[in-house]
């Protein structure tokens, strides 16, 4: 978005782009120098926004160019551009921030909205100070945004010591794996504002389960792809958590962002701290899981980088987004016998869970010739 006023390092007063001399002595020559200087990236040129961004505590770099004879200074990021638009935040966005603050305070934590970090590089929607000095940032993103921009903000928050929890009700945003999105259903404003209304997180939270790779483990070792290694292999399953309870638990350190490698693929999600501790203990002798390198992109602040434009979603957001699939260990390949009855075949569908009974037991189970059965229903 074009600006009228900008600020340049070394000048005490703002520069007025509507004046040929920028409103300062020797401004005409300075203007030509700023328009022709392309040697440095935009963040290093010293030109920053002197309007809404400065008033709200942001140091936002700008680029300068001439269009149809008019001098224009424009933002390079769409979130900076949004600050200049009246009512840039929707009522639903504001309601989610208010609800996060209320949930945190009811759990005994302190929370403030739109708090800037010490290095002024991060401004969280809600910043929660939890147990043992934990800083939890709640970021509500209801409209589509460039994934590079989301990741840049998330990386900047981690550098500032803030652990971000990203919430969205958009199916298009939930498909992206740049950050572990906490997905909610799209609900009306009245339900968001209502205290203790049922708004669960349906995505982004998983439980970690460990299976011993021994003679009872179904199939070959998922890492060696042959034999048994005697170690522990993780599998995960989706889990839901109410909005308010998750905010309080995450601020208390009971839920953490974890990177877990299932087979040979790492995934990032929120999980109970106890599950993550058990996973770290079981895999203590293995290298730490690292996300793919394509997730580690640079901050989109390069020279000539245009304002982010977002591709419109191909599927309506009001439809329910499927939960991401993380594969479980393979079971032995076998040819089903024509004599296999329905009672015996049913438990096979519950891999790792007991399938006995009309209503499956679903307790932790081992694999027997009759299928997956727990200790109470084993042969």
């Amino acid at each position: 978005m074009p600006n009228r006023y900008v600020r340049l390092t070394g000048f005490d007063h703002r520069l007025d782009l509507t004046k040929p001399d920028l409103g300062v002595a020797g401004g005409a020559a300075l203007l030509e120098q700023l328009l022709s200087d392309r040697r440095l990236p935009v963040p290093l040129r010293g030109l920053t926004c002197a309007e809404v961004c400065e008033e709200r505590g942001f140091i936002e770099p700008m680029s300068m160019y001439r269009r149809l004879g008019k001098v224009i200074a424009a933002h390079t990021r769409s979130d900076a551009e949004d600050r200049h638009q009246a009512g840039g935040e929707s009522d639903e966005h504001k309601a989610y921030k208010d609800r996060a603050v209320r949930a945190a305070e009811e759990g005994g934590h302190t929370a403030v909205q739109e708090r800037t970090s010490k290095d002024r590089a991060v401004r969280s929607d809600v910043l929660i100070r939890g147990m043992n000095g934990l800083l939890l940032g709640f970021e509500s993103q209801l409209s589509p945004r460039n994934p590079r921009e989301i990741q840049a903000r998330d990386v900047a928050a981690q550098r500032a010591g803030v652990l971000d929890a990203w919430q969205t009700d958009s199916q298009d945003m939930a498909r992206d794996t740049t950050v572990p999105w906490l997905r909610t259903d799209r609900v009306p404003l009245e339900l968001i504002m209502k205290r203790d209304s049922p708004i669960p997180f349906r995505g982004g939270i998983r439980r970690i389960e460990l299976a011993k790779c021994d003679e009872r483990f179904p199939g070959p070792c998922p890492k060696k792809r042959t034999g048994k290694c005697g170690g522990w292999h993780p599998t995960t399953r989706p889990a839901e958590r109410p909005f308010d309870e998750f905010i309080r638990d995450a601020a208390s350190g009971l839920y953490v962002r974890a990177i877990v490698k299932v087979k040979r693929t790492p995934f990032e999600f929120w999980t109970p701290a106890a599950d993550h501790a058990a996973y770290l203990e079981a895999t203590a002798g293995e290298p730490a899981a690292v996300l793919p390198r394509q997730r580690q992109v640079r901050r989109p602040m390069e020279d000539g980088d245009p304002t982010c434009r977002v591709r419109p979603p191909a599927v309506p957001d009001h439809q329910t987004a499927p939960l991401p699939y993380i594969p479980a260990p393979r079971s032995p390949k076998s040819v089903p016998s024509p004599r296999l009855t329905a009672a015996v075949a049913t438990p096979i569908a519950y891999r790792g869970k007991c399938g006995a009974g009309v209503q499956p037991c679903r307790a932790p189970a081992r694999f027997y010739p009759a299928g997956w059965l727990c200790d109470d229903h084993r042969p």
Side-chain angles (χ1 to χ4, degrees), residues 7-13 15 46:
R7 192 174 298 279
L8 183 64
T9 303
F11 287 81
D12 296 333
H13 301 285
L15 305 182

Side-chain angles (χ1 to χ4, degrees), residues 20 75 82 90 122 126 140 155 239 247 258 267 274 288 292 302 335 343 350 352 359:
H75 293 90
D82 291 343
S90 64
V122 181
V126 177
S140 181
V155 171
I247 294 296
F267 299 89
E302 298 299 326
V335 179
Y350 301 96
Q359 295 295 330

Side-chain angles (χ1 to χ4, degrees), residues 2 5 19 22 39 89 139 164 201 213 227 231 245 373 378:
Y5 294 104
K19 298 180 179 181
L22 301 178
R39 294 171 298 175
E89 293 184 351
E139 298 286 351
D164 273 348
F201 287 122
C213 187
E245 294 182 14
L373 298 174
R378 66 182 181 180

Side-chain angles (χ1 to χ4, degrees), residues 328 331 342-356 360 362 367 370-372:
S331 59
V344 175
T346 301
I348 300 178
Y350 301 96
R351 185 172 299 170
K353 302 293 182 180
C354 180
R362 303 302 296 273
F367 188 75
W372 290 94

